[in-house]
Amino acid sequence: MKKHYFKSSMMATLMATALCTGIASCSDKDDVESTLNPAERTVSQAKKHDTALLLCTFGSTYKESLSVYDDVMNDFKKEFPDVDIYMSFTSRTCINRVQAATGIERYELDQWLKAIGNAGYKRVAVQSLHVIPGEEYLSLMNTDIKKYFMIQWFPHIDVLRGANLLSEEEDTKMVADVLYSHYAERLSDKNHIVLLMGHGNPDENYSANQKYAEVQKALQAKAAHKNIFVGTVDYGDMLFWPKEVEENPADRLTDVRTVRSQYPNCIYSQIMQYCEDNGLQPAHVKVYIAPFMSIAGDHAHNDLWGLKALAEGADVNKVELNTNEYSWRERLEKIGFQVQEDFESHPIKEAGADHGIADGCGIRALGSYPEIRRIWVKHLREQWDANAWENGKDYQ
């Protein structure tokens, strides 16, 4: 009786111990898996070569960006067939929202870099898809790539860094050639104006903003009527309305001639001066608007076209020109210009679509032009052919 009780007790104890151990093991495994870098599996499954290429862009939650990013990836795959290619967003905000909008999972830049570094690659190329050498670009190359990846994390891996779109004077000329060719027919009529909206850096200390002025100069040198202008959504001197008024709408300037004399570089001043110089009234001028950005994302849809306002049926007559609450389209129409929707625009019936539409959007961004995408490819190819690889040991 005692022996039977002893054996039963021992068996129960062993089973309980095993059960507890099993539970603990599963719990520990879950904890480990929950802390794993999600990019590790993607990289380990995709790895086929000894060299990796990470394309880095600010990112977007808009569905229109998908085809452009696919085109960019395909361009680099054709040029570098023996390289494993990945794409990362540098904007955490975009990463956090993009899966819900597009269904595509994006990883943070440091997750991509650590996954690629741990995968056993001997060489890693990093290509910027930024337009200007501004804050985002410099942070990517000097902090994320050089300081962390090359020096702190993987000093033994050779790295190649590809420049942003407008890194050289030749790039400005090439971009201007492409855009002028695209708008040439419309620019031949002085009653037409083309407006391009770049992003820009809010910090005026970044000389990178000068790149927009250089592009405008190159475009106007080609256009006989000089009727094409480049502004920004985030840089004071090149906003639609003067920075001082945009930031302090309570101190609005009502004398528009004062605005034009004190702030000649803002878009409003430039287009009104153009009309005056050519004896035109805004009502007689057709305006074509497009983003001077890599993709047609939030800025293109809302800050440029004001699609949210279109979807909500906003009355343009109630728009106040000198506030930052309205899109360029709304302000232009308030002044009296004819903003053209038959050339490149978002379908009005889809204006209320959350995060844009995957197909059918006519807004054309820089990444939509094969010739412009090739400039990014060219930058990396030039570095590649120059054998400009380096590693963290060079800085230690």
Side-chain angles (χ1 to χ4, degrees):
M1 184 74 173
K2 289 183 179 179
K3 289 181 179 179
H4 178 72
Y5 174 78
F6 175 76
K7 289 181 179 178
S8 298
S9 298
M10 285 293 293
M11 184 64 69
T13 301
L14 289 171
M15 290 178 65
T17 301
L19 180 60
C20 291
T21 302
I23 293 174
S25 297
C26 289
S27 176
D28 291 344
K29 183 179 180 181
D30 289 342
D31 290 341
V32 170
E33 289 184 348
S34 68
T35 58
L36 284 176
N37 178 354
E40 295 274 3
R41 178 178 296 179
T42 299
V43 174
S44 64
Q45 292 176 346
K47 187 177 185 300
K48 296 179 181 179
H49 304 95
D50 290 331
T51 302
L53 166 58
L54 184 62
L55 303 173
C56 296
T57 179
F58 181 83
S60 174
T61 64
Y62 275 72
K63 298 179 180 70
E64 284 86 345
S65 67
L66 300 179
S67 61
V68 175
Y69 291 146
D70 287 343
D71 289 339
V72 171
M73 288 284 284
N74 290 332
D75 287 349
F76 278 94
K77 286 178 180 178
K78 290 178 183 178
E79 184 69 21
F80 303 96
D82 298 324
V83 175
D84 297 334
I85 304 178
Y86 310 97
M87 179 174 288
S88 172
F89 287 0
T90 58
S91 167
R92 282 184 169 82
T93 300
C94 288
I95 293 169
N96 293 336
R97 297 177 181 174
V98 72
Q99 187 170 7
T102 66
I104 299 175
E105 186 173 8
R106 303 288 186 183
Y107 310 124
E108 294 188 6
L109 178 59
D110 62 337
Q111 292 175 322
W112 274 118
L113 291 174
K114 289 177 180 178
I116 291 172
N118 289 328
Y121 286 105
K122 296 180 180 179
R123 303 194 304 177
V124 176
V126 179
Q127 175 60 51
S128 157
L129 298 178
H130 296 90
V131 176
I132 62 172
E135 182 179 14
E136 284 283 337
Y137 172 76
L138 294 176
S139 177
L140 166 68
M141 291 303 184
N142 295 335
T143 302
D144 297 296
I145 304 305
K146 181 178 177 181
K147 178 180 178 181
Y148 293 128
F149 186 82
M150 295 178 63
I151 297 178
Q152 294 187 15
W153 300 340
F154 303 102
H156 63 286
I157 297 178
D158 288 337
V159 175
L160 191 67
R161 289 178 281 179
N164 60 281
L165 182 68
L166 299 175
S167 61
E168 303 290 341
E169 184 176 343
E170 179 186 0
D171 303 330
T172 299
K173 181 180 181 301
M174 292 175 67
V175 169
D177 287 344
V178 174
L179 293 176
Y180 175 73
S181 296
H182 181 68
Y183 292 106
E185 182 179 346
R186 284 150 185 84
L187 292 171
S188 64
D189 187 334
K190 75 173 184 178
N191 285 66
H192 292 178
I193 288 177
V194 174
L195 296 182
L196 304 175
M197 173 193 275
H199 191 289
N201 280 293
D203 188 340
E204 297 188 8
N205 293 319
Y206 281 95
S207 59
N209 289 301
Q210 182 63 26
K211 295 290 184 179
Y212 298 114
E214 292 172 1
V215 170
Q216 175 173 304
K217 182 179 180 181
L219 284 166
Q220 290 189 352
K222 295 177 174 295
H225 303 297
K226 302 188 183 303
N227 47 344
I228 183 166
F229 306 89
V230 182
T232 73
V233 70
D234 215 8
Y235 173 55
D237 286 355
M238 303 180 76
L239 296 171
F240 186 94
W241 197 254
K243 175 182 177 182
E244 287 72 12
V245 181
E246 294 272 16
E247 295 181 347
N248 304 289
D251 300 327
R252 295 171 186 157
L253 299 176
T254 55
D255 183 351
V256 292
R257 287 199 173 272
T258 300
V259 172
R260 289 167 56 187
S261 63
Q262 293 184 4
Y263 307 93
N265 294 321
C266 72
I267 289 297
Y268 172 80
S269 295
Q270 291 198 69
I271 60 175
M272 295 307 289
Q273 187 65 53
Y274 173 82
C275 288
E276 184 175 306
D277 292 344
N278 289 276
L280 300 170
Q281 293 297 319
H284 301 148
V285 178
K286 294 181 179 181
V287 180
Y288 300 86
I289 57 177
F292 190 80
M293 303 176 188
S294 59
I295 51 91
D298 180 72
H299 289 305
H301 284 72
N302 299 313
D303 295 307
L304 182 62
W305 276 98
L307 292 173
K308 287 183 179 178
L310 279 176
E312 296 167 359
D315 184 357
V316 72
N317 293 317
K318 296 181 181 180
V319 172
E320 295 185 54
L321 295 179
N322 49 0
T323 76
N324 58 6
E325 300 173 8
Y326 300 98
S327 68
W328 283 21
R329 178 192 63 81
E330 291 170 283
R331 296 181 188 185
L332 289 164
E333 291 180 349
K334 173 70 173 183
I335 297 170
F337 288 102
Q338 305 174 49
V339 179
Q340 300 302 292
E341 298 176 357
D342 59 342
F343 180 55
E344 294 174 358
S345 67
H346 192 91
I348 301 303
K349 65 179 181 179
E350 300 284 357
D354 185 34
H355 294 286
I357 54 178
D359 300 301
C361 178
I363 302 176
R364 194 174 179 88
L366 296 177
S368 304
Y369 298 90
E371 304 92 337
I372 289 181
R373 295 198 303 271
R374 280 199 288 271
I375 297 176
W376 279 305
V377 176
K378 177 178 72 75
H379 287 324
L380 186 61
R381 171 52 69 187
E382 289 172 346
Q383 291 294 91
W384 204 289
D385 292 343
N387 197 26
W389 299 86
E390 56 181 355
N391 58 50
K393 295 178 182 177
D394 297 331
Y395 297 98
Q396 293 176 351

